[in-house]
Amino acid sequence: MRYLKLTVAYDGTDYVGWQIQENGTSVQQRLEETWFSVTQEQVRIMSSGRTDAGVHATAQVCSLATQTKLDNRTLIRALNATLPEDISVIEVQDAPAGFHATRDATAKTYRYQIQFGRIRDVHRRRYRWFVPRPLDLDAMREGAKYLIGEHDFQGFQAVGSERLSTVRHVMRLELHHWRESIFDYLDIEITSNGFLYNMVRNIVGTLVQVGQGNRPPSWVERVLQEKDRRLAGRTAPAHALFLIHVDYGSIRFRPD
Amino acid sequence: MRYLKLTVAYDGTDYVGWQIQENGTSVQQRLEETWFSVTQEQVRIMSSGRTDAGVHATAQVCSLATQTKLDNRTLIRALNATLPEDISVIEVQDAPAGFHATRDATAKTYRYQIQFGRIRDVHRRRYRWFVPRPLDLDAMREGAKYLIGEHDFQGFQAVGSERLSTVRHVMRLELHHWRESIFDYLDIEITSNGFLYNMVRNIVGTLVQVGQGNRPPSWVERVLQEKDRRLAGRTAPAHALFLIHVDYGSIRFRPD
């Protein structure tokens, strides 16, 4: 038995999310079907975590145990030749025995993509949330500071979620802003040792409220303290959210 | 009567092209409908030229004659509030009496967007042609040089087109290459005083043949000389082509 780590990019637009579900096609299902058609082997492919319907990944990490004799170069070529055009395998590496993409993940990084201003950039709308107003980035950065470190993020969790602990450690929360022609773009990147359900999208919705001047930066601290989801901003839409990196601490992976 | 210049961006994916046609919705039709719903005025909106089905624009230039009393700031806001999310008006300016976006254009610039290499970038595939091989950019640049200047471009025109003259002056043809993560991107920008039908897409298809090493750079000169479309490379797909700039010589436009 070999354990493999697959790094996978996908456009989530046409999927019900990562995980296999009754109500439509999932990325996991497509990957497992493709694995079967390449190797004739039925496997379960796990990932670092679910992504919701419409959410993308540039580098989702997956694990599987296999008995295939195909080497990793052959696998990546055959998988990409068979996958639909909205899923690509970026890398195939050997992993230590027992490697499990969900359990072994130590941190994940998401990027949330915004375009703001008076006029919509029609060619970015599929992968960016259009906020049709100016945003005060200094206020947003000030609000973001309250979230860095170990906190109980219950106020940023979707109502009805049940997790044993809602404490997470946000290691990094950065805003990158740039202009191109008449358009303003903003990427919000968040690294944490774990994410509650809808946590990134609720943080983004809250920071955008601050950026629009509807709330002061200190409101972010209040949402943390009161632990009440109804206080926070609206959940930002899924189509602009990307899982971009997963950390596995000291685990080493080899090309083949 | 006021003459206006509109600068318009559109995602061509879901349109039959710029021009009104029987077989589907065109950008022109959507703009004229939107103008009517904002001003109650039926106008004909002309553009610098047709773009084909699936082709995009970041700055198509349009002209119209109007009797509306709405000022240009109000117009841009009202038009954008009414247009579908794949068309945006970028700018509304006053033009000299008689201004005609087609007739008065002195040069146009197109950008053709490529992603090349072993693995498809799933998030760029909607607006870039994926060429699943390495490209020799030096060879492509060498081939491109033959096209700069005044030439008869008949060999790069779609078969069956009928134009009085097939001589055009290409003022600029540049290749911009960059890498991001494991992906290679290539933009080809072409400025000319006019374009024959499918000219940009046939030039790109031909340069890609050169880049893949299937033909030497000097083959580009041969296609020019022999004036035979069947010699040139395949027509590159429409979804990666953008009209990005239109020049109007010394004509001056004012904000309002």
Side-chain angles (χ1 to χ4, degrees):
Chain A
M1 209 59 141
R2 287 159 66 202
Y3 286 82
L4 294 180
K5 176 198 187 206
L6 309 187
T7 307
V8 179
Y10 48 83
D11 180 331
T13 308
D14 296 332
Y15 294 98
V16 295
W18 162 262
Q19 186 163 308
I20 291 173
Q21 279 170 238
E22 297 279 306
N23 61 328
T25 306
S26 67
V27 178
Q28 186 182 29
Q29 176 190 338
R30 274 279 174 275
L31 273 172
E32 292 181 357
E33 285 167 4
T34 304
W35 187 271
F36 181 78
S37 81
V38 166
T39 64
Q40 302 302 307
E41 187 187 44
Q42 228 147 18
V43 294
R44 168 85 335 164
I45 300 183
M46 300 305 296
S47 77
S48 73
R50 309 177 197 182
T51 51
D52 286 333
V55 173
H56 313 286
T58 62
Q60 171 69 285
V61 174
C62 308
S63 58
L64 66 121
T66 176
Q67 297 190 300
T68 182
K69 298 277 181 272
L70 299 174
D71 64 29
N72 294 353
R73 279 166 169 272
T74 307
L75 281 170
I76 196 171
R77 208 169 331 162
L79 291 168
N80 282 326
T82 314
L83 281 165
E85 66 169 27
D86 52 7
I87 306 179
S88 285
V89 177
I90 302 296
E91 201 173 36
V92 178
Q93 292 180 300
D94 283 340
F99 172 63
H100 190 292
T102 322
R103 199 192 51 220
D104 295 341
T106 55
K108 287 194 269 190
T109 302
Y110 281 93
R111 182 173 65 225
Y112 196 91
Q113 303 192 156
I114 289 171
Q115 185 239 319
F116 67 92
R118 217 163 37 95
I119 293 167
R120 177 187 275 114
D121 178 354
V122 295
H123 296 103
R124 310 281 183 126
R125 76 188 197 285
R126 296 182 195 268
Y127 303 111
R128 287 190 178 270
W129 183 25
F130 175 55
V131 177
R133 306 225 202 132
L135 290 176
D136 179 341
L137 301 172
D138 289 335
M140 293 175 76
R141 289 200 174 95
E142 201 186 321
K145 279 189 198 152
Y146 295 106
L147 300 169
I148 295 172
E150 190 167 89
H151 300 285
D152 185 337
F153 283 93
Q154 198 178 329
F156 294 95
Q157 174 179 242
V159 178
S161 320
E162 285 181 37
R163 299 261 182 166
L164 289 176
S165 164
T166 49
V167 174
R168 295 293 182 275
H169 187 167
V170 170
M171 285 93 105
R172 201 173 62 94
L173 204 176
E174 284 176 11
L175 281 69
H176 302 284
H177 168 242
W178 72 100
R179 304 205 71 187
E180 272 175 47
S181 147
I182 60 163
F183 302 114
D184 280 281
Y185 304 104
L186 175 66
D187 284 357
I188 302 178
E189 289 194 11
I190 311 186
T191 303
S192 174
N193 64 349
F195 289 90
L196 306 176
Y197 190 59
N198 274 357
M199 179 169 143
V200 178
R201 293 164 59 193
N202 289 334
I203 287 175
V204 169
T206 302
L207 292 178
V208 164
Q209 285 290 311
V210 171
Q212 293 183 334
N214 300 332
R215 301 282 191 159
S218 60
W219 174 56
V220 176
E221 189 179 26
R222 219 185 118 213
V223 176
L224 273 181
Q225 284 168 349
E226 311 239 333
K227 302 182 175 53
D228 183 351
R229 169 69 190 95
R230 290 163 299 179
L231 261 184
R234 67 172 273 206
T235 306
H239 75 276
L241 180 60
F242 289 72
L243 173 61
I244 63 168
H245 190 72
V246 188
D247 278 304
Y248 286 94
S250 58
I251 300 180
R252 292 288 160 256
F253 305 97
R254 286 173 305 111
D256 31 39
Chain B
M1 207 59 137
R2 288 160 65 202
Y3 286 81
L4 294 181
K5 176 199 187 206
L6 308 187
T7 307
V8 178
Y10 49 85
D11 180 332
T13 307
D14 296 332
Y15 294 96
V16 296
W18 162 263
Q19 187 163 306
I20 290 172
Q21 278 170 238
E22 297 280 308
N23 61 329
T25 307
S26 67
V27 178
Q28 185 181 30
Q29 176 190 336
R30 274 280 175 276
L31 273 172
E32 292 181 358
E33 286 168 3
T34 303
W35 187 272
F36 181 79
S37 82
V38 166
T39 64
Q40 301 304 306
E41 186 188 45
Q42 227 146 17
V43 294
R44 167 89 331 168
I45 301 184
M46 300 306 295
S47 77
S48 72
R50 310 177 197 181
T51 52
D52 286 335
V55 173
H56 314 284
T58 62
Q60 171 70 284
V61 174
C62 307
S63 58
L64 66 122
T66 175
Q67 297 190 300
T68 182
K69 299 277 183 272
L70 300 174
D71 64 30
N72 294 354
R73 277 166 169 273
T74 307
L75 281 170
I76 196 171
R77 207 168 333 162
L79 291 168
N80 282 326
T82 314
L83 280 165
E85 66 168 27
D86 52 7
I87 305 178
S88 284
V89 177
I90 302 295
E91 201 172 35
V92 177
Q93 293 181 296
D94 283 340
F99 172 63
H100 190 292
T102 321
R103 198 191 53 219
D104 295 340
T106 54
K108 287 194 269 192
T109 301
Y110 281 94
R111 182 173 65 225
Y112 196 90
Q113 303 192 154
I114 289 171
Q115 184 240 320
F116 67 93
R118 217 161 39 92
I119 293 167
R120 178 187 274 112
D121 179 354
V122 296
H123 297 102
R124 311 282 182 125
R125 75 188 198 286
R126 296 183 195 267
Y127 302 110
R128 288 191 176 268
W129 184 23
F130 175 54
V131 177
R133 305 225 204 134
L135 290 176
D136 178 341
L137 301 172
D138 289 335
M140 292 175 76
R141 289 199 174 97
E142 201 186 321
K145 278 188 197 152
Y146 294 106
L147 301 169
I148 295 171
E150 189 167 271
H151 299 285
D152 186 337
F153 283 93
Q154 198 178 328
F156 294 94
Q157 175 178 240
V159 178
S161 319
E162 285 179 37
R163 300 263 181 162
L164 291 176
S165 164
T166 49
V167 174
R168 295 293 183 275
H169 187 166
V170 170
M171 283 94 106
R172 201 173 62 94
L173 203 175
E174 283 175 12
L175 280 69
H176 302 284
H177 167 241
W178 71 100
R179 303 204 73 187
E180 270 176 48
S181 149
I182 61 163
F183 302 114
D184 281 281
Y185 304 103
L186 174 65
D187 284 358
I188 300 178
E189 289 194 11
I190 310 186
T191 303
S192 173
N193 65 349
F195 289 90
L196 306 175
Y197 189 59
N198 274 358
M199 180 169 143
V200 178
R201 292 164 59 191
N202 289 333
I203 286 175
V204 169
T206 301
L207 291 178
V208 164
Q209 286 290 311
V210 171
Q212 292 183 334
N214 300 332
R215 301 282 191 160
S218 60
W219 173 56
V220 176
E221 190 179 25
R222 219 186 118 213
V223 176
L224 272 181
Q225 283 169 350
E226 309 239 335
K227 302 182 176 53
D228 182 352
R229 168 69 191 96
R230 289 163 302 179
L231 263 184
R234 65 172 275 205
T235 306
H239 75 275
L241 181 60
F242 289 72
L243 173 61
I244 63 168
H245 190 72
V246 188
D247 277 304
Y248 286 94
S250 58
I251 299 180
R252 292 287 160 256
F253 305 98
R254 286 172 306 111
D256 32 36

